[in-house]
């Protein structure tokens, strides 16, 4: 029970990496607020946690909306009586060269991947500073926040921004009880990856290529990301802040 008596918000927790983290955090004793656009899938995660004896609740939010982020933090405080862990994980991809990227594409991706986390942190920090005990903020960035990838300039730029957001917040709050880190997944088998690959001209070759791209020789799993995320927000990482941790089967080591 590494998160006993802790309360956590996880955005983008209806599917993929966020869902696996919600299940894992709850298994370790956290009360989890699942915040996402996808209601049915989010409620299913709540039910799964409840069936396993854990505590969770769902809130429908769009991370692009500052008021939704405020409402999410208030809901966590009202329901669970505190906020120890904020995990900004919701994200979207965009595979397109810059010349094929519209103004709307840029705004929409940056609003979710970058500003969503800023709004959430701005809403959560005052409460984290007020309450007793240490708190933790975690962002899902990506290996593409550390090394670039072809045909995804706006996505890479967004994830680079998330890494720096985490580091800058880590400095601001290091001596005030809030640790801030970024998780940098490699190629992880989630609905997002499935959508991305199935849209490519030759999905079968792409699956093979993606598996081989990581030195470990396979895709990562959402559960492997959840184990790393759990460690980063847990007491075991109490001296770790401002870190961008690759969970990528060695991808960024090359
Ligand atoms: N899968 C990968 O290979 C991979 C690699 C590196 C980083 N990531 C990052 O991991 C995070 C999770 O991605 P995933 O692969 O689990 O994808 P996913 O599509 O399975 O999950 C993303 C979740 O975010 C939610 N979401 C999207 N836009 C939202 C919005 N505006 N408001 C609220 N919720 C919203 C979706 O409903 C979904 O539940 C993302 O930030 C993604 O960029 C994924």
């Amino acid at each position: 029970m590494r998160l006993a008596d802790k309360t956590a918000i996880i955005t983008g927790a209806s599917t993929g990496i966020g869902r696996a983290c919600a299940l894992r955090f709850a298994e370790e004793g956290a009360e989890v607020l699942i915040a996402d656009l996808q209601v049915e899938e989010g409620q299913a995660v709540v039910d799964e946690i409840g069936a396993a004896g854990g505590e969770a609740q769902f809130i429908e939010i769009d991370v692009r909306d500052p008021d939704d982020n405020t409402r999410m933090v208030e809901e966590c405080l009202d329901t669970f009586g505190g906020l120890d862990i904020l995990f900004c994980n919701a994200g979207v991809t965009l595979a397109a060269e810059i010349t094929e990227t519209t103004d709307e594409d840029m705004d929409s991706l940056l609003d979710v991947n970058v500003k969503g986390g800023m709004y959430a942190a701005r809403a959560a920090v005052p409460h984290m500073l007020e309450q007793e005990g240490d708190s933790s903020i975690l962002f899902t960035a990506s290996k593409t926040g550390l090394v670039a990838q072809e045909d995804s300039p706006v996505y890479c730029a967004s994830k680079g921004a998330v890494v720096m957001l985490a580091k800058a917040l880590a400095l601001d709050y290091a001596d005030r009880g809030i640790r801030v880190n970024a998780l940098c997944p490699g190629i992880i088998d989630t609905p997002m990856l499935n959508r991305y690959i199935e849209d490519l001209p030759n999905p079968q070759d792409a699956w093979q290529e993606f598996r081989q791209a990581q030195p470990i020789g396979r895709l990562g799993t959402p559960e492997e990301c959840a184990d790393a995320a759990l460690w980063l927000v847990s007491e075991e990482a109490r001296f770790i802040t401002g870190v961008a941790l690759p969970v990528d089967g060695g991808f960024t080591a090359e």
Side-chain angles (χ1 to χ4, degrees):
M1 291 301 238
R2 288 145 79 191
L3 300 182
D5 303 324
K6 300 286 184 194
T7 55
I9 293 175
I10 308 180
T11 70
S14 288
T15 63
I17 294 169
R19 171 183 173 276
C21 291
L23 294 169
R24 190 80 183 91
F25 286 17
E27 195 180 278
E28 293 289 340
E31 294 172 315
V32 184
L33 184 64
I34 289 156
D36 204 294
L37 280 174
Q38 298 191 70
V39 178
E40 223 172 280
E41 291 81 353
Q43 194 52 54
V45 182
V46 170
D47 295 344
E48 206 174 336
I49 289 173
E55 284 290 331
Q57 186 139 324
F58 176 77
I59 184 169
E60 182 182 358
I61 74 149
D62 184 335
V63 297
R64 293 171 291 189
D65 182 342
D67 294 339
D68 273 13
N69 281 280
T70 305
R71 194 164 53 79
M72 168 181 83
V73 167
E74 280 165 4
E75 176 84 14
C76 184
L77 296 169
D78 289 350
T79 310
F80 300 135
L83 172 56
D84 303 301
I85 298 161
L86 171 67
F87 185 7
C88 302
N89 163 76
V92 288
T93 43
L94 177 64
E97 282 185 37
I98 198 75
T99 48
E100 292 158 7
T101 308
T102 65
D103 294 356
E104 291 73 26
D105 289 339
M106 290 182 197
D107 285 344
S108 142
L109 185 119
L110 293 172
D111 283 352
V112 178
N113 289 8
V114 183
K115 287 172 79 180
M118 290 177 177
Y119 293 142
R122 185 176 63 186
V125 162
H127 303 284
M128 289 178 158
L129 291 174
E130 251 174 40
Q131 74 188 23
E132 277 187 25
D134 291 347
S135 344
S136 175
I137 301 177
L138 182 61
F139 294 95
T140 301
S142 167
K143 67 170 173 52
T144 59
L146 304 172
V147 294
Q149 165 181 303
E150 287 165 0
D151 296 331
S152 307
V154 179
Y155 182 71
C156 290
S158 77
K159 293 301 187 177
V162 172
V163 167
M164 287 315 294
L165 176 63
K167 287 176 185 260
L169 290 172
L171 289 186
D172 284 347
Y173 300 110
D175 60 355
R176 288 190 272 169
I178 309 176
R179 294 184 303 105
V180 189
N181 293 295
L183 187 76
C184 298
I187 308 170
I188 312 298
D189 193 357
T190 68
M192 177 189 276
L193 183 73
N194 278 262
R195 283 193 302 274
Y196 179 81
I197 292 186
E198 292 304 323
D199 281 349
L200 294 174
N202 192 338
Q204 249 184 341
D205 287 355
W207 278 113
Q208 189 60 16
E209 194 187 308
F210 274 70
R211 280 190 198 103
Q212 286 167 355
Q214 308 192 102
I216 281 186
R218 62 171 176 82
L219 300 175
T221 67
E223 290 71 26
E224 286 164 337
C225 292
D227 283 337
L230 168 66
W231 177 73
L232 279 172
V233 302
S234 77
E235 177 67 12
E236 289 159 38
R238 62 193 169 279
F239 199 56
I240 314 287
T241 195
V243 154
L245 180 71
V247 184
D248 66 355
F251 190 100
T252 50
E254 290 192 305

